[in-house]
Amino acid sequence: MIGKLFLGGAALLLAGGVAMADPIEGNWKTESGATAQIAPCGGSYCITLKSGKFAGKKIGTFQAAGSNKYTGKITDPAKDKTYSGKGTLTGNNLKMGGCVLGGLICRNQTWSRI
């Protein structure tokens, strides 16, 4: 009986440890050379600048949209304007985009995993 409880408890601990990070999580080098960190926050992924002129500033929140695609909001820290955002992960590159006017005008960057 105690052996079964022990095995059951061990199985629960192993199952909890199997949870893997989403591929978008981690540190990224932006086109400006700053480091951005993408980390889980309240069911989403928050993007915070860790270096550069705007270090410490949260610049976005994304949600997984399937097949290494993400959607949400992204802020241009220099202009302090927020746009509809999207991200596509391919290997160690993250193509980030921000759009206005329903996607009529967009600006894209490619970030590299550090």
Side-chain angles (χ1 to χ4, degrees), residues 20-87:
M20 296 179 63
D22 190 277
I24 198 173
E25 292 179 43
N27 293 315
W28 298 88
K29 180 73 71 179
T30 69
E31 284 189 358
S32 70
T35 299
Q37 180 185 48
I38 301 179
C41 65
S44 300
Y45 298 97
C46 290
I47 306 166
T48 305
L49 291 173
K50 293 298 182 180
S51 70
K53 183 178 179 180
F54 300 100
K57 184 168 181 131
K58 181 179 165 189
I59 61 164
T61 305
F62 277 22
Q63 297 81 35
S67 299
N68 290 329
K69 295 187 186 299
Y70 301 86
T71 59
K73 299 285 183 189
I74 191 86
T75 300
D76 178 342
K79 296 179 182 177
D80 205 31
K81 293 192 178 198
T82 301
Y83 305 95
S84 296
K86 61 184 178 184

Side-chain angles (χ1 to χ4, degrees), residues 3-19:
K4 287 182 182 181
L5 283 174
F6 177 76
L7 288 175
L12 284 174
L13 286 174
L14 286 174
V18 172

